[in-house]
Amino acid sequence: IDTNNFYKWWNFAAIIDFKWKTFGKTYYSLIWLFYTIFFLCFAVASTLEQNNILFIISVIFGGIHLSFEIRQCYWDPKIYFNDLWNLFDVGAYLLPIITSILWLIYGKPSLWIIAFSNLLLNIKFLLFFRVFQSFGIYFAIMIGVGKKVFPFLVVLLFILLGFTHAFYILLRSTKNFSLDKPAFDDDENNPWNLATKYNSVNPDGTITPTPTLIQSPDSNTNMFNWFPTSLLAVYLLLIGNSGAFSSWTYQDSHTMTILLVLFTFFTVIYLMNLFIGLLNMAIEDYNKDEEFLLQKAKIIMEIELFYMFSYQKN
């Protein structure tokens, strides 16, 4: 029963406790053991980069876990895809399997797929602790609060995209340039111009208006030449890092200064404090024992539906 209201009553808690002690604990321990073998084999093999037997074992055990995910999807696709954690489970099983197969056939694959495979496996292993009440209540809070504030995060994302677009239009270079070949022109957003100090002070106090290259520019000199890095720069500004704007002076770039003031007040001060308040209210709603029992009931339901044979259920 997918609601926490029933788990306020002792009889529903007793049903969960009875099923867990009768069969849930045994099956869950076996599932955890099989996953641990899968996790350790892939982690060791991908770290040492020299044991194909461990990759074969990873494919076998990963395939076993993936078969149960397919069975759940076949039972009711609508329910399956409505739960984002099921998609996470598929990724945690499928990505290491694909990585292992690629490694066995073509040799070492790209580092990014190895890194993400290990990351998903580690997070999935951590999720097994949610059946213990001391850990499970925090998982219930994290999952429940995440669902509660998700619409607010969508609104925040669109606001970030709006400011990113504005900064991208304002601060990008308007002329073609190459980071390998110096090119000084009248474009103030050109990375070569941003990395150059035009007025040098002489020992006698006079100023020589000749360009002096401070350092060779790179892709981080002007992060607003590419929209994805512009989004990264605005995100860094949101968490307090304004280094991406250090190449411009506030006195000369009036429009940029106005946008920065609007962004910091409306987003960093107002929306982020509002977000913290929403988190506090949502935590109070999900910091309850019945949320943990509901989470445990869903685990028992999966075991009973997909891991047990008919005669065992009877």
Side-chain angles (χ1 to χ4, degrees):
I1 301 176
D2 193 9
T3 174
N4 63 1
N5 294 326
F6 293 98
Y7 294 97
K8 296 177 181 179
W9 306 98
W10 68 266
N11 49 347
F12 277 85
I15 292 173
I16 297 302
D17 185 62
F18 170 76
K19 288 197 170 191
W20 178 252
K21 291 180 178 178
T22 304
F23 64 87
K25 181 166 59 176
T26 302
Y27 276 86
Y28 195 78
S29 299
L30 289 174
I31 296 169
W32 198 350
L33 175 62
F34 274 60
Y35 181 82
T36 303
I37 296 173
F38 168 53
F39 168 48
L40 291 178
C41 286
F42 182 84
V44 172
S46 61
T47 302
L48 299 179
E49 302 181 0
Q50 58 184 8
N51 199 323
N52 289 340
I53 297 177
L54 293 179
F55 283 120
I56 296 174
I57 297 174
S58 300
V59 172
I60 295 173
F61 279 86
I64 293 173
H65 285 286
L66 187 61
S67 66
F68 287 104
E69 293 297 321
I70 295 173
R71 189 177 179 187
Q72 290 185 46
C73 182
Y74 179 76
W75 179 68
D76 195 324
K78 184 177 180 180
I79 292 178
Y80 185 83
F81 287 108
N82 281 338
D83 190 349
L84 294 178
W85 287 108
N86 289 328
L87 302 180
F88 176 83
D89 290 342
V90 171
Y93 300 140
L94 189 59
L95 201 59
I97 292 175
I98 294 174
T99 305
S100 299
I101 294 174
L102 291 175
W103 208 313
L104 290 170
I105 297 176
Y106 302 107
K108 184 178 178 180
S110 300
L111 291 178
W112 70 266
I113 192 172
I114 302 173
F116 277 105
S117 297
N118 280 285
L119 176 62
L120 292 176
L121 285 172
N122 277 276
I123 296 176
K124 175 61 181 176
F125 183 82
L126 182 63
L127 289 175
F128 277 97
F129 287 93
R130 69 188 187 274
V131 295
F132 305 109
Q133 187 165 5
S134 55
F135 296 96
I137 189 66
Y138 295 110
F139 283 105
I141 291 173
M142 287 187 288
I143 296 171
V145 170
K147 293 179 179 178
K148 191 90 170 181
V149 301
F150 179 75
F152 181 87
L153 294 178
V154 173
V155 173
L156 182 61
L157 174 62
F158 278 98
I159 293 174
L160 289 179
L161 289 174
F163 276 99
T164 298
H165 194 193
F167 282 120
Y168 173 70
I169 295 296
L170 181 66
L171 302 178
R172 65 177 175 174
S173 299
T174 57
K175 297 180 180 180
N176 295 328
F177 64 92
S178 174
L179 294 176
D180 300 325
K181 183 179 180 180
F184 302 97
D185 51 37
D186 58 351
D187 181 10
E188 61 180 7
N189 296 326
N190 184 329
W192 286 98
N193 291 332
L194 294 174
T196 302
K197 185 177 180 181
Y198 281 90
N199 293 326
S200 58
V201 180
N202 299 320
D204 58 357
T206 60
I207 298 177
T208 303
T210 56
T212 303
L213 186 64
I214 301 174
Q215 62 179 7
S216 297
D218 54 27
S219 57
N220 290 330
T221 303
N222 187 356
M223 296 179 67
F224 298 95
N225 280 326
W226 192 37
F227 190 83
T229 53
S230 302
L231 182 60
L232 176 61
V234 174
Y235 169 75
L236 292 175
L237 180 63
L238 180 66
I239 60 176
N241 185 351
S242 59
F245 298 87
S246 61
S247 299
W248 294 271
T249 59
Y250 300 131
Q251 185 175 0
D252 297 331
S253 305
H254 302 294
T255 307
M256 183 196 73
T257 304
I258 294 173
L259 287 175
L260 282 174
V261 171
L262 290 174
F263 180 83
T264 52
F265 176 78
F266 182 68
T267 306
V268 179
I269 298 177
Y270 178 70
L271 287 183
M272 292 308 296
N273 281 282
L274 180 61
F275 180 58
I276 294 171
L278 292 175
L279 288 177
N280 288 329
M281 291 189 293
I283 289 172
E284 292 180 3
D285 293 336
Y286 287 94
N287 189 15
K288 300 174 183 177
D289 289 338
E290 51 264 30
E291 290 293 337
F292 164 72
L293 290 174
L294 174 60
Q295 183 176 249
K296 196 170 183 178
K298 292 179 179 179
I299 295 173
I300 294 175
M301 179 202 72
E302 289 186 4
I303 293 174
E304 196 167 353
L305 285 174
F306 308 116
Y307 289 88
M308 299 178 69
F309 295 106
S310 297
Y311 75 92
Q312 293 173 316
K313 296 176 184 178
N314 293 333

